[in-house]
Amino acid sequence: MLADQPFLRIPGPTPVPPSVQRAMNQPMIGHRDQETKDLLHRIKPKLKPVFGTDQDILMIAGSGTGGLETAVVNAVRPGDEVLVIVTGAFGDRFAQICTEYDITMHRIDVEWGEAAEPETVETYLKQHPEIKAVFATFCETSTGVLNPVYELSQVIKQQSDALFIVDGVSAIAGAEMKMDDWGIDILVTGSQKAMMLPPGLTFATVSERAWDVIENNKRPSFYFDLTKYRDQLENDSTPFTPAISLLFGLEQVLSLIETEGLGAVYNRHLTMMNMTRAAFKELGIPLLTSDKAASPTVTAIAPTDFDPEALRKVLKNEFNLTVAGGQKHLKGQIFRIGHMGYCSPADMLQTIGIIEVALNKIGKPIELGSGTRAAQEILLGGS
């Protein structure tokens, strides 16, 4: 392997396009100067289609988890009842944040590797009419599940007046999102996943209905007060120092997405998902999720006859290819391949081919090339 040729195939952070890296290398500008105002003014309209909304997208210097906490602290007050749908480690993170803020929390725990069922949520809301907000994860990164947020939103709106708050961190710009049409009230994401940037930016967008709740929430908040970001963005500014280099990169990211076309971006992610799943099915290695629940941005593999950590070690040490391991109780039981953002079907053919060699090296009997061939067939078929 070459020391300076890493192959990063984890579900975030993800590789950054060279043109985006170059954009971020621009000389620093004053965060209160006209250049920054002009930059934000150009970015604002281009962000909206990625989220599927007519609302402005608020940009906060921070991580994806900062976005989750921002949603909680703005939309919910201590003592309010909320429902958290937990389908993995990041649904559980929403639950932990609610607990820290003394919120009365209900939770629906779904078996890891399975998607949330709207019928279960509907029944729960009928039994608990005081719930003020429902939290869910769009793509559960820890399991590779894409939750049916549109269907969840429908039952939430039918059965309650609760806000629907969605973690879109490892899905936005990789999976289709129609926030307004789907009835999502608060949607957050981070920069380091399908948005093709380094870590350091969190994005939040808010429905008119949610703004009414936020404006009447008198809980003290300083840095994470969304009304400050909304009011300043109207003037093409931010309440606090923005991550200017990341904003330079973001403008280039949005240009790349615009050039490719959002529909083509989503189709590329679906193709990579189908290629990856077809390859491991052909190799006889079980997948954690069903085809119906699978995410277009990350695939979780659950082998039964070899150690995933041994595979990861060979991939890293001999090929400089990094894939992710399992989290919490799935640690040492699964491995996860990220295929989002600056990633193409060609990258996945390379990744699958390397994994086949590594499987051979750890003693897993496979027919070399069979997984790659299955992925090639998907690509040739245009799936």
Side-chain angles (χ1 to χ4, degrees):
M1 70 176 184
L2 300 177
D4 62 350
Q5 189 184 49
F7 303 110
L8 188 62
R9 292 290 167 256
I10 62 174
T14 63
V16 176
S19 65
V20 175
Q21 292 178 330
R22 291 192 296 271
M24 291 189 297
N25 285 334
Q26 295 179 66
M28 191 52 57
I29 58 177
H31 69 292
R32 297 298 179 221
D33 290 348
Q34 187 62 42
E35 292 97 327
T36 301
K37 287 182 174 291
D38 292 343
L39 176 62
L40 287 168
H41 186 76
R42 294 193 301 270
I43 286 172
K44 284 196 305 185
K46 293 183 178 182
L47 265 176
K48 293 180 181 182
V50 179
F51 290 75
T53 183
D54 290 329
Q55 301 293 327
D56 278 332
I57 314 302
L58 311 177
M59 291 162 273
I60 305 167
S63 69
T65 300
L68 305 188
E69 185 164 345
T70 298
V72 172
V73 75
N74 279 266
V76 189
R77 296 171 294 184
D80 279 354
E81 292 189 40
V82 304
L83 172 62
V84 182
I85 304 168
V86 179
T87 54
F90 293 93
D92 187 61
R93 184 165 297 181
F94 251 147
Q96 293 177 52
I97 294 168
C98 289
T99 299
E100 288 290 331
Y101 280 97
D102 296 322
I103 294 163
T104 302
M105 186 189 60
H106 305 263
R107 57 187 285 164
I108 294 175
D109 282 283
V110 180
E111 184 175 349
W112 286 35
E114 296 183 3
E117 295 182 352
E119 296 80 10
T120 303
V121 176
E122 181 179 25
T123 300
Y124 202 95
L125 290 173
K126 287 179 180 178
Q127 297 169 348
H128 300 86
E130 299 304 314
I131 286 172
K132 302 292 187 184
V134 179
F135 295 86
T137 310
F138 190 12
C139 170
E140 177 49 69
T141 320
S142 63
T143 62
V145 161
L146 193 75
N147 280 305
V149 292
Y150 169 69
E151 290 81 0
L152 291 171
S153 180
Q154 299 310 295
V155 300
I156 292 165
K157 295 298 185 282
Q158 290 166 7
Q159 297 301 325
S160 74
D161 293 322
L163 297 179
F164 187 32
I165 301 171
V166 174
D167 162 8
V169 171
S170 59
I172 299 302
E176 184 178 38
M177 167 54 66
K178 296 181 178 180
M179 176 183 167
D180 292 351
D181 291 347
W182 293 357
I184 295 169
D185 292 298
I186 301 179
L187 176 64
V188 299
T189 193
S191 56
Q192 77 277 18
K193 306 276 187 172
M195 292 294 290
M196 299 189 288
L197 287 165
L201 271 181
T202 189
F203 304 88
T205 184
V206 180
S207 72
E208 293 295 339
R209 196 169 75 99
W211 278 125
D212 290 339
V213 173
I214 291 170
E215 288 167 350
N216 288 291
N217 184 357
K218 302 306 179 184
R219 162 184 286 179
S221 177
F222 188 74
Y223 187 75
F224 289 136
D225 182 352
L226 284 176
T227 63
K228 294 177 181 176
Y229 289 89
R230 177 197 60 186
D231 295 345
Q232 287 296 316
L233 193 60
E234 288 177 357
N235 297 314
D236 297 326
S237 187
T238 58
F240 310 107
T241 305
I244 292 173
S245 295
L246 290 175
L247 294 180
F248 284 144
L250 175 60
E251 184 176 32
Q252 177 59 20
V253 164
L254 295 171
S255 177
L256 293 174
I257 291 174
E258 189 175 65
T259 298
E260 184 177 0
L262 261 178
V265 170
Y266 298 146
N267 286 335
R268 170 167 52 85
H269 283 79
L270 288 170
T271 296
M272 293 188 293
M273 175 194 76
N274 289 331
M275 290 170 65
T276 305
R277 294 181 69 82
F280 284 96
K281 289 177 183 178
E282 183 65 28
L283 292 169
I285 301 173
L287 299 161
L288 183 64
T289 65
S290 68
D291 289 346
K292 181 180 179 181
S295 169
T297 56
V298 54
T299 296
I301 298 97
T304 56
D305 58 357
F306 66 87
D307 179 4
E309 293 303 302
L311 176 68
R312 292 180 64 225
K313 184 176 180 180
V314 170
L315 291 173
K316 181 66 174 178
N317 292 344
E318 299 193 25
F319 300 98
N320 211 4
L321 170 62
T322 305
V323 299
Q327 295 180 298
K328 297 195 175 184
H329 67 277
L330 291 181
K331 186 176 178 63
Q333 297 184 38
I334 68 169
F335 64 99
R336 295 172 295 141
I337 300 173
H339 36 77
M340 70 178 90
Y342 186 57
C343 186
S344 71
D347 292 317
M348 296 318 300
L349 290 176
Q350 178 189 56
T351 298
I352 293 162
I354 293 172
I355 288 174
E356 287 185 318
V357 175
L359 286 169
N360 184 272
K361 284 178 173 286
I362 65 169
K364 165 66 177 174
I366 63 164
E367 179 187 348
L368 285 173
S370 60
T372 304
R373 183 177 63 250
Q376 291 170 330
E377 290 170 353
I378 292 290
L379 184 57
L380 287 169
S383 302

